[in-house]
Each structure stands twice: as structure tokens, then as C-alpha cells.
Amino acid sequence: MSITLNTTMSSIMTNKRRVGALKSLGVVTVGDALTYYPFRVADPVPLRALREARIGERMAFSASVRGMRVVPMNVRRGYRLEAVVDDGDFAVSRHVAGAAARLVFFSYKKQYVDWLSMRLRSGAIVVIAGEPSEFNGQLQFTHPEIMTVAPGSGPADGEYSGVVQMSALKYDADTVEAGLRRISRPRPVYHASSRISSEHIHESIVQCIELLAGTGQDLPGDAATEAPQTMKPMEDGGISGAGTAPADAESRSGNAVAVGLARAIPDVLPESVRESNHLLHRAEAFLAIHDPLNTADFKRAIGTMRYEEAFVSQTALLQSRSNVRKDAALPCAGVALRDRFIESLPFPLTGGQREIIDDIGVDMAREYPMQRLLQGEVGSGKTVVAVAAMLQAAGSGHQAVLVAPTQVLAEQHHATISAMLCAIDGVETGDDPSRDALSPNDPADLIKAAESAADDGDAKGRTAVKHPVKHSGARRGKQDGAAHANTRHVPVILLTGGMKLAARRRALALAASGDPCIIVATHAAFSKTFQAPNLALVVIDEQHRFGVEQRESLRTKNDVVPHLLVMTATPIPRTAAMTWFGDLDISWLTELPGGRKPIRTFIVPEDDGRMMGSMFAHIRGRIDAGERAYVVCPRIDADDESDGDDDTSGASQIGVYDDSDAYRRESAAAAANTAASAPSQEDGDGAPSRPPLHSVAEIERRLSSLPQFRGVRFATLTGRDDDATKQQVMADFADGATPVLVATTVIEVGVDVPQASCIVIFDADRYGLSQLHQLRGRVGRGGTDSWAFLISRAEDGGPAQQRLQVIQGTLDGAQIAQADLEFRGAGDVLGDAQSGGKSGLKLLRVVKDVKIIADARERAGRLLADDPDLSGEVELAGAVLDFTRGNETFLTSS
């Protein structure tokens, strides 16, 4: 059969168990197999004579078979094959005396034993690699790797010219020298699983290479009932080609495998790019990665494929950016309403805010869609920038939608934006001495300004503004009217999945009318029932929480493509942003408003009872001063063993922290009680196991019993709570009825309580740096002194402790994100949608490969300038198309 990169593994392998194991690793086609890269290459196997053997150290040698026997194992079933080999000739070349050793193989499969018997018949010359051991005083190799050598002389130069056919047998090498070179060469090591080993992965990939090159034989399909005698029956029941590695020459250029592979795998990179960067042909790279002659070849091949990934991805991003400019958008040139809004604000904008608002204004005035990513720290003023952009759209007679990831955040945005717009007519323009005293990003100040400007007779509207979270659910049916009454210029419409049917229909009808408005929505904006025929701007808040398909559903609802502004408070280094958001114009809000005090961060060892007691005493003092405190746990309750927000396996180990001895006693008791029920977890820092994660239910119970919190009410908040419960809990927390909130990371986004001054994060060593930075940003939003306490059980000096020290040492999100990338990799920092986790990027590293990315982007830009459609680079065009189609989650907007 004809083998291509798109051929499925199931069509060339009869062993369905191995096919399933490979599929679980994402290897479905031959192309998937070739791009399943090893993560390292093993050292070459040293050549040693049997008398030079070192027990437990892998070695390679050549020998002749003296004798062989097969012994049935009646008790255990199956067979044991024993062969005695002598390395006399090889030992002479090593200047030592020859010796004998025993090779032992065990198998339940008669076919496999018969095949081995044929290869290890008496007098056969073999090359062997394995780990020696000693049994009954004799040197023994259990299941070593063997290669048969053709009898007689091979090519004079020792070059391996393919599998040799003699009689009814196939030999793996022409000469002993060729066999030794092959068996001792570096071996790639792959990420394996319990279902398939690295050796079997390597074996399967090499076989794919042989088949592609035309040197291997097509494997019988499921209908085959008998394997040809010339093919190797695998120990696990599969069938593969006779050779374990296809090439052996010092140079692959004249090798049959390399030549055949080059015909089957055309190069993707333009020849000029490949030559200028001294890169290998794609076929050569695959061969050198999966069957390296030496480590230098392996590294060069990995570098070639890494550059190919960079070039294809950057070409796709640049082409996507260029294609967007061919779409038609609604130009929004009306800035009068936007400027009135800016003048009405009770605070001055920062320089960064003004610059970005001006850039967005220029972009939105064009007739093709804006594509912009706005990145800024928590509290840097992204909401004001977004409102200004939306008012530019509304002031031009169009509609704008702001999509938030949670209902809590959507309701907060709705209340804040409504309060902002209330002040447009209520605040006179000109200098106002009170403006500088107000925080430009404090919703409390915005709401106060809105209240002073609102109509005194509109009591309902004012009530909704005073308590935006508490009343957002109960008064949702009346909010639309209040919003219209308070924002005479532009209606602000709330649309969430939790709304009552009547309110939802009213909101959908207002949007469908096409009248100029601002719509604040959750995922409900992606539904088919949502129609906004005059939509000119889409603002996505916390963009990494939405899939590309969802964002695209808004862009394709109408004939014209809306302008797109995506915002994120998750710090992303510039190099990562250039890689993953290369089709967007990127703006950074780095200037924080004046008057904000830095958050003081402390690492608290959980086994330090006195320090824990002092921390809780401090928190009680802040509560008595009218402030609030968050306590964050990674799990909900002790009975749940799932991960994430609902992950709660294991009870906590918190005791009476004002007495270190009592704390240790209760901690030990809690650990003993939970040891049997809570399974230990693998420690990424090198320890064999880690204690169970803390849970919200247990922490709330233990803290409420501490003397420091006597008389203090606690509340809990998790992702399992319904919307009404979340609203009530947040309202009680905001007004001080329950000043301590024990929650999961559900508070990471969308919770804004200016009175919150303390946050305690349990199991902080188990979080990523960017997430810790986001959680820490929940406090310090009201201009008061603030504290973050990172409770840790990490080992002193270990990687987890080093991560926490990064958080303790800086408040700079960019530095934290860069460190997070270096510690954890891009997948965890950016999420799978913008990482290599589900994209075609398997080798490219955003931290270490900055120069590669920059060079690829520059060369891709020059290529597209000369050939926008890539008509002269057919293979590259196909690779870009495949990349785009198969990796929509990689491209933000294409």
C-alpha cells in the first residue's frame, strides 16, 4: 500500500493494543508519529568485551552463538529461550581474552520464540546491546537488543546498504562493524505511558520512516491471518520490519532511506530560508531526530524543526493579520461622547490610558477591523479604556458588547459602567480640585461620583448603584430601566445566562433593535438568540477564558466584522505575546494610578505555629478596623477528589495557631486521620509524595473555632454555589456582615471589594506565579495598607520555595510572568488555548527561542510582502493552512 503522512497508524499496524496506546499519546497518523518528538537522546552505548562488563551498566559487543534451547515454563506458562554466546573474535580486537555469556528471553507467544530461535541458531553472528547481570555465577543478559550480521564479507567500507536478504532470512547488518555502529548509537527517549514504553514508541516511529522511504514492508491489515516469515513478530504481538534502524552511513545523503524519505516528505521551508540558516531538509531532520547517528545530528535536527514551527506559525499569524484588513468594518469616527465621558471622570487619566485611548480611536475610525490586545495589571484602568472605546462606537451610532467570563464580573462591569455614564451630565468640565484625590480605578469612588450626579428622585437607580452586587440579581428586572434613566446618552444592557426569562427577552430585544447601546454580557452573547445587527465593537475581558470559536461567533454574526479589543490582567511577557498574539496590535498599561500602596507579601511556613498565630491576630486587628480578609483554598471539601475549583481531597492541618505546640499536636492528629483516606500526590519538586490539599469546608470550620476569630462571622464561596448564593455571599462580604470569606480561586476574577486588605492563600506552593499574582490583586484596591500571606509546605530551597520568593520579591507582573514561564512553561501560564498544549507547537519555547521567533517573523514578513498568497511556496502554504485549520485555538482571531 502507498504510505503518506496522512496514513493512519491503524491501517499499517495489526496490533490494536499498540494502536490504542499511540492514540492516547495523540499519535493517530504517520505524520503524528514523526512529530512525536523525543525529549532527549540517550548517551551512546559503550563497546566492551564480556570480560570488561560492569554489572548494571549497559554495553554493546559482538559474539557468535554457541548453542540455544527453548524451555517450556509449565508452572508460569509460556517459554524461556536461552542462548550461549562467545565474544572471542570481538575480545581480540579489545586486546582481552574471550568469554561466554547467556542471553535469556521470556515470552508467552510461540511465534515470537520461534522467530528468536531462527535468529539465534547455533553459529549465527550477532551484535548485542544490554545490561549485564549475574545469575548462578554466570554473566547474563535478559532481553537484550540483538542484531543479526550477514555471514561472509560486507561492503568494503562497512556502509550499511539496507537489510540483507540471504536464503529465507533477513539480516540486520552487512558487517559486524556496521552492526556495532548502529546498536551503540544514541537512542531517542520519548514521553511514554503505562500502556507503551519509549522503546516501543521508537520502534513504531522508525518503522513509519522505513515505510515512508519504501524500504519497509506494509504491515498486514486486520484481515491478515499470518505474518510473512520475513517480518519480525513483536513481543507484544505486533508486526514490524526486520531492522531496528534504517540508516548507518556517516553521511545520509547516499542512503536509500534518506533518499526515499526525501521523496515522501517534501520540505516546508523555502530553500533560501533553509540555506541561510544552515538547516536540514525536513526528511533529514526527521531521520536524525528519530534515528540519530550522534548527538550533534540530533541537536541540529531538533533546531531545524523548531525553526520550522516558528516560521510556519509566524507566517500564519502575519497572513491572518493581513487577511483581516480585507474585511469591512463599521468606521467609528464619532469621539464627542467619548471625550465628554473622559471629561466627566472624577480623576485624571494616566498617560498610558490617554495614549491607548487615542490609538484605539484611530483604529476604530478605519474601514477595516481593529485587532488589539490590551494587557494591564489589576487596577491599571483597563475598564476605563474599554468604556471609552465602547462610547466611541455608540457615539458613532453603533452598538458595542463587553463579554465577561463570569456573571459576577459581568454584573460588576454593568454597575461600574452605569455609574461612570451617570456622571457625564452631572460633572462640570474644567478643573476640579477633588479629582486628584480620587482613584481612577476604584469602583467605590466611581459610584460615589455617580450618586452625586444622579437624579435625587431616582431612588431605585441609586440603590442599585450603591449595592451593585447585592441587588444585581434581585432587581435585575428593573435594572434596565434604571440604566436608561441614569445614562441618558447610551443604554447599558445586562445579558447573562442567569437572568429571569422576561428580563432576558427584554435585553435581547433591545440588542436586536440595532439602536446604539452598550451590552454587558457573559457567554450568553455567543448564543444564537443574541443578535446585534449594528455591532461595531466587541470587547473580550480576560480573553484567555474564551475559546476562539466563541469569539468568532460574534465576528461572523453580521455582514461587517466588528472591531475587536481583547483585555487581560494575566501578565504575559512581551516575547510570549509576540508569539501567540502576533496578529494583534498589542498595548500595555504599565502605569498604575497614584496613591496606591504596595501589597506587602509574606511567606508563612505552615508548620510555624507562632508565625501563623501572629498572622491571624493581625488579620483580626484589620477586621476590627472595618476591613475584610480573603482565605483561599484549592479544594472545596474533604470528600471531593477532583482537581481545580472542585478539588477538595484531604482535610487541612490547621490547629490553634497562637500556641505552636498545640498547633503541631492538632496538625499531627489531622494528618493521621486523613492519611488513610487521602491519597498522596506526586510532588513536582522531587519529593515522593505531598500532603493532601486544604479544603474550604475544613479551613472554615477550623478558623471559626480559633480564639483570634471569636465573634467573627465567616462565609464560604466556591464554584459549586448557584448565582443567587454567590450574589448574597459577596454582598454580605462587601458590607461587612461576614468580614472573612473562605473561598476557592473563584475569586481570582471579578471580585472587587475595596475594603479587603488581607488575603491568605493556603497551599500557595501549588499555584503558578501568575495565578498567585492575580489572587494577590484582590486586595489593595481601596488605597489602604494591604497584606498577602502565602501559606506553604514547600521544602526549604526547593523549586516551589523559589517560586514563592519571586512573588514575595516583586509586584511587577511582567517579571512574575517571565519567571512563571521559566519555571513552568508556556502551557501553564497562557492556558492551552494559547500554548503548545493543543497547538502545532511542540518544540518552540517562548522564553529561550526569542531570537528564533524574531528571525522567523522577519523572514516570513519579507516573504509575504513579495508573495502574499504563497503561490510560489506550495508546501509552505499547505503547512500554514494545516496549521490554521488544526490549531484554531492558537490563532486569536483568524
Side-chain angles (χ1 to χ4, degrees):
M1 62 180 291
S2 177
I3 306 297
T4 68
L5 293 176
N6 295 322
T7 300
T8 60
M9 298 298 290
S10 59
S11 66
I12 62 173
M13 297 186 72
T14 57
N15 186 346
K16 299 309 174 187
R17 185 178 63 180
R18 181 176 292 193
V19 170
L22 289 171
K23 185 177 181 180
S24 69
L25 299 176
V27 178
V28 178
T29 67
V30 172
D32 294 334
L34 266 60
T35 55
Y36 191 79
Y37 300 113
F39 64 91
R40 69 180 179 89
V41 63
D43 293 332
V45 180
L47 299 180
R48 290 176 186 158
L50 290 176
R51 291 193 181 277
E52 299 173 309
R54 302 170 188 172
I55 301 300
E57 291 187 15
R58 191 171 172 82
M59 57 177 283
F61 62 98
S62 69
S64 59
V65 180
R66 283 186 181 177
M68 180 271 302
R69 66 171 182 161
V70 176
V71 181
M73 297 185 295
N74 295 326
V75 177
R76 296 176 54 193
R77 295 183 303 163
Y79 306 88
R80 182 178 77 252
L81 184 148
E82 297 179 359
V84 178
V85 296
D86 186 323
D87 73 338
D89 293 338
F90 178 74
V92 170
S93 67
R94 303 283 300 177
H95 307 292
V96 296
R102 181 168 54 188
L103 313 181
V104 180
F105 300 85
F106 301 92
S107 178
Y108 292 108
K109 300 184 181 296
K110 185 66 164 58
Q111 184 188 27
Y112 175 71
V113 173
D114 290 343
W115 176 80
L116 276 177
S117 301
M118 182 173 59
R119 290 169 65 84
L120 294 174
R121 70 194 185 285
S122 181
I125 301 173
V126 292
V127 173
I128 301 165
E131 186 176 297
S133 60
E134 188 175 354
F135 183 74
N136 288 337
Q138 185 176 6
L139 199 63
Q140 176 174 296
F141 293 82
T142 304
H143 281 274
E145 181 180 354
I146 62 171
M147 296 178 60
T148 57
V149 180
S153 59
D157 59 359
E159 181 178 341
Y160 176 64
S161 58
V163 177
V164 181
Q165 178 76 42
M166 295 193 69
S167 302
L169 299 178
K170 277 191 173 182
Y171 296 99
D172 301 323
D174 291 349
T175 65
V176 169
E177 291 78 9
L180 287 172
R181 280 201 303 271
R182 290 175 54 200
I183 209 165
S184 64
R185 69 171 47 164
R187 290 299 179 90
V189 182
Y190 302 83
H191 287 291
S193 70
S194 60
R195 299 175 62 185
I196 186 169
S197 66
S198 175
E199 281 297 322
H200 284 162
I201 294 171
H202 178 235
E203 187 177 73
S204 301
I205 295 175
V206 167
Q207 183 186 27
C208 290
I209 291 175
E210 290 181 337
L211 294 174
L212 274 173
T215 60
Q217 299 188 30
D218 296 347
L219 299 183
D222 294 338
T225 58
E226 183 178 352
Q229 201 173 25
T230 55
M231 303 185 70
K232 171 184 175 182
M234 298 305 302
E235 166 64 16
D236 62 359
I239 305 291
S240 79
T244 57
D248 182 69
E250 294 300 326
S251 172
R252 298 184 186 273
S253 59
N255 186 276
V257 172
V259 174
L261 202 60
R263 289 195 298 264
I265 305 176
D267 209 353
V268 168
L269 293 175
E271 187 174 354
S272 59
V273 173
R274 181 164 61 86
E275 290 180 351
S276 60
N277 285 277
H278 307 290
L279 304 174
L280 297 173
H281 188 281
R282 196 170 197 239
E284 289 181 295
F286 281 139
L287 200 53
I289 288 172
H290 298 295
D291 186 34
L293 292 173
N294 49 60
T295 54
D297 272 5
F298 177 83
K299 292 178 180 178
R300 185 183 177 196
I302 287 290
T304 295
M305 299 312 298
R306 181 174 289 128
Y307 190 92
E308 180 185 293
E309 287 185 357
F311 196 86
V312 171
S313 64
Q314 293 303 309
T315 302
L317 287 168
L318 292 175
Q319 201 171 50
S320 169
R321 182 171 183 167
S322 176
N323 290 337
V324 166
R325 299 195 173 188
K326 299 177 183 178
D327 295 329
L330 294 172
C332 302
V335 296
L337 183 59
R338 181 201 71 180
D339 292 344
R340 287 174 56 199
F341 160 71
I342 294 174
E343 287 296 321
S344 72
L345 291 173
F347 49 77
L349 295 179
T350 65
Q353 286 174 315
R354 288 185 178 277
E355 181 180 351
I356 293 174
I357 288 174
D358 290 341
D359 291 341
I360 291 174
V362 173
D363 290 346
M364 292 181 60
R366 298 190 177 108
E367 295 184 352
Y368 57 84
M370 172 184 70
Q371 299 272 98
R372 186 170 289 275
L373 169 67
L374 174 59
Q375 178 181 333
E377 294 279 357
V378 173
S380 60
K382 296 186 300 296
T383 301
V384 173
V385 174
V387 172
M390 290 188 288
L391 285 177
Q392 182 169 337
S396 302
H398 305 305
Q399 296 172 305
V401 60
L402 169 62
V403 186
T406 67
Q407 180 165 328
V408 171
L409 186 54
E411 291 173 344
Q412 176 184 306
H413 278 318
H414 178 265
T416 303
I417 294 172
S418 298
M420 287 179 175
L421 300 190
C422 282
I424 289 182
D425 281 346
V427 177
E428 296 180 359
T429 58
D431 295 333
D432 185 350
S434 66
R435 293 175 68 183
D436 291 338
L438 296 174
S439 168
N441 303 290
D442 190 340
D445 290 340
L446 295 171
I447 292 172
K448 288 178 183 177
E451 288 175 353
S452 65
D455 185 356
D456 292 339
D458 191 2
K460 295 180 180 178
R462 179 172 301 176
T463 301
V465 170
K466 280 185 178 180
H467 304 288
V469 176
K470 183 175 181 179
H471 295 277
S472 59
R475 302 183 182 272
R476 189 179 293 117
K478 299 180 180 180
Q479 268 189 337
D480 292 330
H484 281 273
N486 287 334
T487 58
R488 303 184 184 94
H489 312 281
V490 180
V492 182
I493 302 168
L494 179 66
L495 177 64
T496 70
M499 296 175 69
K500 292 183 178 179
L501 182 59
R504 181 182 175 87
R505 285 178 175 173
R506 188 159 48 249
L508 289 172
L510 289 170
S513 70
D515 294 339
C517 63
I518 291 176
I519 304 157
V520 181
T522 57
H523 291 72
F526 304 126
S527 68
K528 294 181 180 179
T529 58
F530 175 72
Q531 298 293 330
N534 197 17
L535 185 62
L537 173 66
V538 174
V539 181
I540 304 291
D541 193 14
E542 292 302 328
Q543 58 81 33
H544 65 284
R545 293 172 178 257
F546 297 96
V548 171
E549 294 81 1
Q550 293 175 316
R551 296 194 289 266
E552 286 301 293
S553 69
L554 284 175
R555 288 171 48 84
T556 57
K557 279 182 180 290
N558 303 323
D559 294 334
V560 293
V561 177
H563 301 284
L564 176 66
L565 175 65
V566 293
M567 303 191 300
T568 180
T570 301
I572 305 172
R574 290 175 183 262
T575 55
M578 183 177 71
T579 304
W580 271 274
F581 308 107
D583 58 339
L584 301 177
D585 295 310
I586 304 176
S587 299
W588 277 272
L589 268 178
T590 57
E591 182 180 357
L592 291 178
R596 289 184 61 115
K597 296 182 179 180
I599 303 170
R600 282 171 278 188
T601 305
F602 298 91
I603 300 173
V604 181
E606 190 173 333
D607 59 1
D608 189 335
R610 293 189 181 279
M611 193 170 183
M612 296 288 280
S614 298
M615 175 188 71
F616 285 125
H618 169 80
I619 293 173
R620 176 58 188 263
R622 304 321 307 163
I623 292 172
D624 291 341
E627 297 169 8
R628 316 280 187 271
Y630 297 105
V631 179
V632 179
C633 304
R635 300 191 177 193
I636 297 176
D637 56 52
D639 297 327
D640 190 347
E641 296 183 0
S642 60
D643 288 331
D645 186 41
D646 293 341
D647 192 337
T648 58
S649 175
S652 77
Q653 301 177 14
I654 296 183
V656 183
Y657 289 107
D658 57 341
D659 186 320
S660 59
D661 292 331
Y663 163 70
R664 292 190 184 96
R665 287 195 299 270
E666 186 165 351
S667 294
N673 290 334
T674 60
S677 59
S680 64
Q681 302 173 21
E682 194 67 23
D683 193 338
D685 295 333
S689 63
R690 292 189 286 191
L693 297 172
H694 291 301
S695 67
V696 169
E698 184 70 11
I699 290 291
E700 189 274 335
R701 182 184 68 80
R702 289 179 177 271
L703 292 187
S704 60
S705 67
L706 293 179
Q708 292 95 327
F709 295 111
R710 186 173 292 114
V712 175
R713 291 183 58 194
F714 284 72
T716 62
L717 184 68
T718 72
R720 291 182 186 170
D721 297 328
D722 57 36
D723 293 335
T725 301
K726 290 178 181 177
Q727 294 161 8
Q728 187 61 52
V729 167
M730 288 309 305
D732 291 344
F733 182 64
D735 61 25
T738 52
V740 180
L741 179 61
V742 185
T744 59
T745 54
V746 70
I747 69 165
E748 179 184 352
V749 174
V751 175
D752 191 352
V753 179
Q755 297 86 355
S757 63
C758 297
I759 185 168
V760 180
I761 304 174
F762 280 93
D763 296 303
D765 51 299
R766 309 287 279 273
Y767 293 92
L769 297 187
S770 294
Q771 189 173 28
L772 287 174
H773 183 58
Q774 283 281 82
L775 289 169
R776 179 172 59 180
R778 296 305 100 197
V779 299
R781 306 170 74 88
T784 61
D785 291 330
S786 299
W787 296 264
F789 301 98
L790 310 179
I791 312 301
S792 169
R793 290 181 279 188
E795 181 182 352
D796 288 342
Q801 186 77 4
Q802 295 173 19
R803 289 198 299 269
L804 294 182
Q805 288 170 353
V806 171
I807 287 288
Q808 184 182 37
T810 182
L811 295 171
D812 188 332
Q815 290 184 22
I816 292 170
Q818 188 73 16
D820 210 6
L821 275 172
E822 294 170 356
F823 275 118
R824 300 198 301 157
D828 292 327
V829 176
L830 302 176
D832 280 342
Q834 278 79 39
S835 78
K838 290 184 179 179
S839 78
L841 297 186
K842 300 182 178 181
L843 297 173
L844 199 62
R845 304 160 301 183
V846 296
V847 177
K848 297 182 179 179
D849 297 331
V850 175
K851 292 182 179 180
I852 293 177
I853 295 168
D855 182 82
R857 188 175 183 85
E858 180 184 354
R859 293 178 186 276
R862 292 203 299 264
L863 177 64
L864 289 173
D866 297 333
D867 187 4
D869 298 326
L870 299 177
S871 56
E873 298 291 342
V874 178
E875 296 300 333
L876 176 61
V880 169
L881 184 61
D882 289 342
F883 180 86
T884 305
R885 285 178 175 173
N887 303 280
E888 288 84 356
T889 52
F890 175 85
L891 299 174
T892 302
S893 57
S894 64

